[in-house]
Amino acid sequence: MTVAADEPLDIPIIDFAPLLSDESRPEQYASAGKQVYEAFKNVGFAYIKNHGVPQEVVDEAFEWSRKFFALPQSEKDKVPHPPEGWYHRGYSGVGREKVSQNVFDAEGIARERSVPDCKESFEIGGEHEERLRNIMPAEHVLPGFRAFFALFFDTCYALELRLLRAIAVGMGLDEAYFVDYHRARSNQIRLLHYPPVEEALLAEGKVDCIGAHTDFGTLTMLFQDEVGGLEVESARGPKGAFTPAPFVPGTVVVNIGDFLMRWSNDELKSTLHHVRTPPVDERDVEPGRPRMTRERYSIPYFVAADGHRTIDCVPGCWGPDRPKKYEPINATEYMDMRLNATY
Ligand SMILES: O=C(O)CCC(=O)C(=O)O
Ligand SMILES: [Fe+2]
């Protein structure tokens, strides 16, 4: 589904054009910063247009993703995600990972896993990372794949810096406040493929595309294809009411993760989201056969703080009438705890 960019959505569309010129000055962050701050405080999600990642680069990322998932299963199985949840690299087949919502005990994780997520994924980090080396297909299998994603990673990092500056300025902090905790580029690209699935199984709750969850890190930038299916817990409606976050051409969807919510003493919201039934294309329906959803691709880029840093409450988010809700925490410890619950 495509929505005209001027149609009102729960999720605001914020223009980053003023931030793209070389002459960008902190004053230019003031307006975008205010909008970003309001969006993340009220909804937890925003669409960013004129974000600075060229459309050809986004299109090429989706082309590579399609090529990767179209490889024979035996080829994808040569680059498996390691059994340790924290080593978040490589390929996970359908049903392998189950996102979970703050469930850390073995019984709770088993319960969450009884409804499988119907997706396959491939996780990629920066080539500079020593603790988490990339697990990539051999160069002759997909020539150019690895080099492209090294470039895509850097392009996304430039947008990440713009976002981190905008949030800081919007919160009345020094422009570099969050950038300073994100110098190690401990980020991760994820290629996601939701294969066609029987509509009835989704409707009966026997499978999920991706179950309701919040993201763990600082923030997430999500490129999605035109199919749709992403839904976000509505800021206005009753709890558990979801509103679609459809494809809006030329935008990236950005949302806050739990780490930044905690860091901000819950001032910024990490909002529950899921991928529900992507629509069925009626042209694909064959008489006497189950109705199948359209396959969908998406590419989130997850932003995480530098592993060696310990974060305490953001200045301005606590005071005499507003105590700190959380203890300081080390970024690696926090992320490992969350990732280990998903595998
Ligand atoms: O595929 C999507 O649109 C959402 C993916 C997502 O929420 C995630 O991977 O955390
Ligand atoms: Fe997510």
Side-chain angles (χ1 to χ4, degrees):
M1 181 171 50
T2 305
V3 168
D6 55 0
E7 195 171 311
L9 291 167
D10 267 307
I11 305 171
I13 299 176
I14 301 170
D15 191 351
F16 265 23
L19 313 186
L20 294 183
S21 71
D22 282 345
E23 301 93 71
S24 272
R25 297 264 179 281
E27 321 71 273
Q28 290 172 276
Y29 276 87
S31 164
K34 189 165 178 301
Q35 293 175 66
V36 159
Y37 168 68
E38 291 293 327
F40 292 153
K41 190 170 112 182
N42 299 321
V43 191
F45 270 75
Y47 288 96
I48 308 293
K49 68 174 181 181
N50 295 313
H51 45 67
V53 182
Q55 189 59 46
E56 322 72 271
V57 174
V58 176
D59 293 344
E60 195 178 340
F62 278 98
E63 275 163 38
W64 279 118
S65 177
R66 282 191 196 94
K67 281 188 196 153
F68 174 81
F69 289 115
L71 290 173
Q73 190 63 42
S74 58
E75 207 57 67
K76 293 187 276 191
D77 289 340
K78 285 184 189 157
V79 287
H81 187 299
E84 302 83 14
W86 58 265
Y87 197 141
H88 215 26
R89 296 291 182 266
Y91 172 74
S92 305
V94 172
R96 176 76 178 82
E97 184 207 50
K98 176 68 195 181
V99 295
S100 69
Q101 194 49 40
N102 291 324
V103 181
F104 302 111
D105 60 297
E107 201 183 306
I109 291 171
R111 192 173 55 243
E112 288 261 323
R113 284 184 178 172
S114 62
V115 179
D117 277 351
C118 198
K119 61 173 169 38
E120 49 179 350
S121 55
F122 185 69
E123 323 289 341
I124 306 169
E127 292 289 347
H128 62 285
E129 292 235 32
E130 296 193 351
R131 177 172 175 254
L132 295 172
R133 291 229 169 269
N134 272 324
I135 300 174
M136 285 283 184
E139 191 56 25
H140 71 270
V141 174
L142 278 182
F145 177 85
R146 184 170 200 151
F148 173 80
F149 280 106
L151 181 118
F152 188 67
F153 189 92
D154 291 345
T155 313
C156 287
Y157 184 62
L159 171 55
E160 167 190 334
L161 294 181
R162 271 173 226 127
L163 278 160
L164 292 173
R165 287 192 190 109
I167 299 170
V169 170
M171 294 180 85
L173 301 165
D174 184 81
E175 188 192 327
Y177 182 81
F178 291 114
V179 169
D180 212 36
Y181 287 85
H182 294 81
R183 299 208 182 272
R185 296 178 294 138
S186 314
N187 308 315
Q188 182 209 320
I189 296 165
R190 155 178 260 199
L191 307 182
L192 270 169
H193 175 219
Y194 302 90
V197 55
E198 275 185 46
E199 195 182 35
L201 292 180
L202 283 165
E204 289 161 18
K206 294 203 175 124
V207 295
D208 271 332
C209 283
I210 189 166
H213 68 282
T214 50
D215 294 344
F216 311 157
T218 303
L219 53 87
T220 305
M221 294 154 31
L222 175 88
F223 299 94
Q224 58 174 333
D225 70 9
E226 72 294 345
V227 172
L230 174 64
E231 295 187 341
V232 174
E233 193 174 47
S234 173
R236 285 196 232 125
K239 243 196 143 19
F242 284 80
T243 186
F247 171 64
V248 178
T251 65
V252 61
V253 177
V254 179
N255 66 283
I256 293 301
D258 298 344
F259 188 77
L260 182 51
M261 177 161 166
R262 174 186 174 124
W263 200 354
S264 72
N265 217 14
D266 294 348
E267 188 159 311
L268 304 182
K269 277 177 58 178
S270 172
T271 303
L272 212 54
H273 53 284
H274 62 188
V275 176
R276 240 200 34 183
T277 323
V280 172
D281 186 335
E282 296 302 329
R283 288 168 301 187
D284 295 342
V285 178
E286 293 175 37
R289 301 197 61 117
R291 288 166 60 83
M292 304 296 284
T293 60
R294 284 177 73 188
E295 67 174 340
R296 174 173 188 266
Y297 294 85
S298 68
I299 307 180
Y301 168 89
F302 298 101
V303 174
D306 301 351
H308 66 282
R309 299 296 298 264
T310 292
I311 53 125
D312 195 357
C313 188
V314 171
C317 293
W318 63 283
D321 305 326
R322 212 177 144 200
K324 292 181 187 178
K325 293 188 186 173
Y326 306 100
E327 296 294 311
I329 192 163
N330 168 268
T332 298
E333 268 171 46
Y334 181 83
M335 292 302 283
D336 286 0
M337 170 186 76
R338 296 300 304 269
L339 285 170
N340 286 337
T342 64
Y343 270 77

